[in-house]
């Protein structure tokens, strides 16, 4: 006897249910779309840009300096009635000491090169040491961004994912680049002369 066909309504409901479960799983664990509601990340991200936020990378590795991350409000922000996710750039990693003065950002005593910001910061911050398990985030539009220099650090467990691709508008579609920070190397110390004016030689093992 031929197999009894399932009611098309039941088939449709199963298909819709499976699609919803897959979409929820992808959005929760893999990636999701986000849009930019403010100018705090200019010029890198513009108002109404649409982005793909990668959630998988941070299951496998820790956030890096320069990553643009989406994160849920910290306790300090929740206390101010912020409920929506934020998007900023990671500047300070756990254990880093960060300062802002003379229009530049200093990490562990060295200036970091930032060719992605709107304007040089016109405020003074720090020095502050980033606690373990936390990150300091700043907006690229430094003087028009409500960010970590105002309300503190982001715990690791508040970070949702990393912005990787802009898919709208079509004219600016593409990957979101990651900066390469070129910190100046410390100069090598000269060899110490001996009291007789000769250069000291390393001891023979």
């Amino acid at each position: 006897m031929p197999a009894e066909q399932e009611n098309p309504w039941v088939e449709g409901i199963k298909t819709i249910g499976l699609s919803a479960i897959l979409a929820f799983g992808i959005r929760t664990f893999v990636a999701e779309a986000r849009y930019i509601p403010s100018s705090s990340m200019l010029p890198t991200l513009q108002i109404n840009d649409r982005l793909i936020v990668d959630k998988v990378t941070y299951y496998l590795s820790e956030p890096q300096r320069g990553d643009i991350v989406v994160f849920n409000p910290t306790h300090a922000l929740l206390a101010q009635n912020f409920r929506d996710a934020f998007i900023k750039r990671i500047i300070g990693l756990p254990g880093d000491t960060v300062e802002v003065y003379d229009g530049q950002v200093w990490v562990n005593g060295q200036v970091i090169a930032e060719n992605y910001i709107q304007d040089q910061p016109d405020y003074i911050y720090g020095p502050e040491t980033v606690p373990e398990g936390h990150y300091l985030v700043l907006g690229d539009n430094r003087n028009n961004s409500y960010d970590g220099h105002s309300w503190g650090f982001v715990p690791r467990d508040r970070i949702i994912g990393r912005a990787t691709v802009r898919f709208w508008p079509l004219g600016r579609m593409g990957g979101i680049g990651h900066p390469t920070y070129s910190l100046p190397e410390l100069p090598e110390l000269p060899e110490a002369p001996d009291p007789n004016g000769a250069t000291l030689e390393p001891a023979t093992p």
Side-chain angles (χ1 to χ4, degrees):
M1 294 180 62
E4 184 179 348
Q5 288 189 335
E6 192 171 51
N7 186 309
W9 286 100
V10 174
E11 288 184 359
I13 291 172
K14 285 183 176 179
T15 300
I16 293 171
L18 180 59
S19 299
I21 291 170
L22 288 173
F24 176 78
I26 291 171
R27 188 177 190 278
T28 302
F29 300 108
V30 179
E32 66 176 83
R34 292 274 177 170
Y35 83 99
I36 304 301
S38 75
S39 62
S40 70
M41 285 298 292
L42 287 173
T44 309
L45 302 175
Q46 300 185 17
I47 296 175
N48 291 326
D49 277 359
R50 264 64 170 178
L51 312 174
I52 296 296
V53 176
D54 160 31
K55 298 183 176 183
V56 174
T57 296
Y58 291 159
Y59 294 135
L60 306 174
S61 61
E62 292 302 312
Q64 300 298 311
R65 192 183 338 277
D67 288 356
I68 295 177
V69 294
V70 174
F71 58 94
N72 288 317
T74 65
H75 292 301
L77 292 169
L78 289 171
Q80 300 173 53
N81 294 319
F82 287 98
R83 295 293 180 268
D84 295 331
F86 281 61
I87 183 166
K88 306 291 179 188
R89 189 184 297 273
I90 291 179
I91 298 298
L93 303 176
D96 282 346
T97 297
V98 183
E99 300 178 74
V100 181
Y101 63 90
D102 288 343
Q104 295 177 304
V105 174
W106 302 71
V107 177
N108 300 327
Q110 298 185 15
V111 175
I112 62 172
E114 298 188 286
N115 60 3
Y116 47 75
I117 60 175
Q118 179 84 345
D119 296 298
Q120 291 182 312
D122 61 7
Y123 55 82
I124 295 174
Y125 169 80
E128 295 285 346
T129 299
V130 184
E132 287 302 315
H134 291 71
Y135 297 84
L136 175 68
V137 297
L138 300 177
D140 288 357
N141 191 0
R142 290 289 154 82
N143 301 317
N144 291 282
S145 175
Y146 190 50
D147 53 32
H149 90 276
S150 298
W151 43 257
F153 306 106
V154 179
R156 174 67 175 83
D157 62 8
R158 306 304 290 174
I159 296 177
I160 297 170
R162 177 172 63 98
T164 56
V165 175
R166 176 175 23 231
F167 66 89
W168 189 266
L170 295 178
R172 292 190 295 111
M173 182 173 60
I176 297 172
H178 191 282
T180 300
Y181 293 105
S182 178
L183 296 178
E185 296 183 0
L186 294 176
E188 294 184 3
L189 294 176
E191 295 181 353
D194 70 10
N196 299 319
T199 301
L200 292 176
E201 297 295 333
T204 301

